[in-house]
């Protein structure tokens, strides 16, 4: 079955290069921090890419029915993410039970990841991502997926309410203003929380929102310039 041309046109091959760079950076950092101490920044790059891609996904379909717009988005996200996540959690949980003597915390992290709040669970147990004991938790990396899942709960509604996803007049301007506002609030929140509680600043979605929103802003500016609508956005 041929793919939708509009979707193909929105595909940007350079994003795959950035993803590969991010993955390699994170892997090297986990294997040996001395080789690439800043490798964990690959996760930050992934958040920016995610914001760009999700904005593209939500605006690539001409849908004027709110119910169809929302349900369609969540249906696509579930089919894309759930099968691999469920398989990973089940397999890793089985191996954890076999090889780890006290697996309770790890298994609870895995279960919470299925519902999109493993980041909140890690905050609850005050688990520092960079602490030595956290290295044994095979589910700790699911916190970033939880951040994105929580982002999905609000972003489609923002896209719809601003009119950007429906190609409404001034939709680009409205969306850009909202994104800039959320970016500023989130960045301030991150700086404030990270000074007194690094776990909250590291794991919590509102503290990471500015990174995802950065990708959204990049998409809006590039897309409007490409469609000769850049002049409609006045800051």
């Amino acid at each position: 079955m041929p793919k939708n041309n509009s979707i193909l046109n929105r595909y940007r091959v350079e994003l795959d290069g950035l993803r590969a760079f991010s993955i390699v950076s994170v892997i090297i950092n986990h294997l040996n921090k001395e080789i690439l101490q800043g490798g964990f920044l690959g996760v930050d790059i992934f958040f920016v890419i995610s914001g760009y891609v999700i904005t593209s996904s939500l605006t690539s379909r001409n849908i004027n029915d709110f119910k169809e717009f929302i349900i369609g988005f969540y249906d696509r996200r579930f089919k894309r993410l759930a099968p691999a996540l469920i398989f990973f959690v089940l397999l890793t949980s089985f191996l954890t039970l076999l090889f780890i003597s006290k697996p309770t915390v790890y298994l609870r992290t895995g279960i919470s990841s299925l519902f999109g709040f493993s980041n909140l669970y890690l905050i609850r147990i005050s688990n520092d991502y960079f602490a030595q004991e956290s290295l044994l938790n095979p589910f700790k990396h699911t916190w970033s997926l939880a951040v994105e899942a929580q982002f999905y709960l609000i972003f489609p509604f923002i896209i719809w309410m601003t009119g950007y996803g429906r190609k409404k007049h001034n939709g680009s301007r409205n969306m850009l203003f909202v994104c800039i506002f959320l970016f500023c609030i989130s960045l301030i929140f991150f700086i404030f929380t990270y000074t007194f509680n690094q776990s909250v600043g590291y794991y919590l979605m509102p503290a990471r929102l500015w990174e995802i929103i950065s990708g959204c802003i990049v998409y809006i500016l590039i897309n409007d310039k490409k469609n000769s609508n850049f002049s409609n956005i006045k800051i």
Side-chain angles (χ1 to χ4, degrees):
M1 180 180 295
K3 293 184 179 180
N4 186 290
N5 288 333
S6 65
I7 295 177
L8 287 173
N9 291 336
R10 290 169 182 265
Y11 172 72
R12 302 186 69 93
V13 66
E14 61 267 27
L15 293 182
D16 288 336
L18 283 174
R19 288 190 181 101
F21 174 79
S22 302
I23 292 172
V24 172
S25 299
V26 172
I27 291 175
I28 292 176
N29 179 261
H30 279 284
L31 291 176
N32 191 329
K33 293 181 180 180
E34 297 302 320
I35 297 177
L36 191 61
Q37 295 184 3
F40 60 88
L41 291 176
V43 178
D44 303 272
I45 296 174
F46 255 106
F47 281 142
V48 177
I49 294 174
S50 180
Y52 184 98
V53 172
I54 292 303
T55 307
S56 176
S57 174
L58 283 166
T59 57
S60 63
R61 293 168 172 81
N62 294 319
I63 300 175
N64 291 313
D65 180 75
F66 175 74
K67 183 178 180 180
E68 182 182 356
F69 178 81
I70 295 297
I71 293 179
F73 171 75
Y74 289 127
D75 179 64
R76 294 191 301 273
R77 288 291 91 193
F78 182 83
K79 290 178 179 178
R80 181 177 178 84
L81 299 176
L85 178 61
I86 293 172
F87 175 78
F88 166 76
V89 170
L90 290 177
L91 177 61
T92 307
S93 296
F94 175 72
L95 295 175
T96 299
L97 288 170
L98 287 180
F99 297 106
I100 298 181
S101 58
K102 296 180 180 180
T104 303
V105 171
Y106 306 148
L107 294 178
R108 287 178 178 175
T109 307
I111 293 173
S112 64
S113 71
L114 293 174
F115 298 95
F117 56 84
S118 57
N119 61 330
L120 302 181
Y121 178 73
L122 291 170
I123 291 175
R124 179 174 175 269
I125 62 175
S126 299
N127 189 284
D128 183 356
Y129 187 88
F130 299 100
Q132 185 64 34
E133 63 271 15
S134 70
L135 296 177
L136 297 176
N137 191 336
F139 299 103
K140 68 176 181 177
H141 63 281
T142 62
W143 73 270
S144 61
L145 186 61
V147 167
E148 292 197 24
Q150 291 156 24
F151 171 74
Y152 297 156
L153 293 178
I154 62 171
F155 194 64
F157 295 93
I158 295 175
I159 286 277
W160 181 269
M161 296 301 295
T162 58
Y164 186 58
R166 292 173 287 163
K167 313 296 189 300
K168 296 294 184 181
H169 179 65
N170 290 331
S172 297
R173 184 192 63 183
N174 297 339
M175 187 64 195
L176 184 59
F177 284 165
V178 170
C179 284
I180 292 175
F181 173 76
L182 291 175
F183 175 91
C184 294
I185 295 298
S186 174
L187 182 58
I188 293 171
F189 180 75
F190 168 76
I191 295 172
F192 177 73
T193 55
Y194 202 78
T195 56
F196 72 88
N197 192 323
Q198 291 189 355
S199 293
V200 172
Y202 192 88
Y203 288 121
L204 203 61
M205 188 276 286
R208 290 289 187 165
L209 183 61
W210 66 276
E211 295 176 316
I212 306 176
I213 288 294
S214 296
C216 304
I217 293 174
V218 171
Y219 176 83
I220 294 170
L221 296 177
I222 291 178
N223 186 63
D224 275 65
K225 184 176 182 179
K226 180 179 179 180
N227 293 314
S228 300
N229 294 324
F230 190 79
S231 59
N232 292 333
I233 300 179
K234 298 178 180 179
I235 302 177

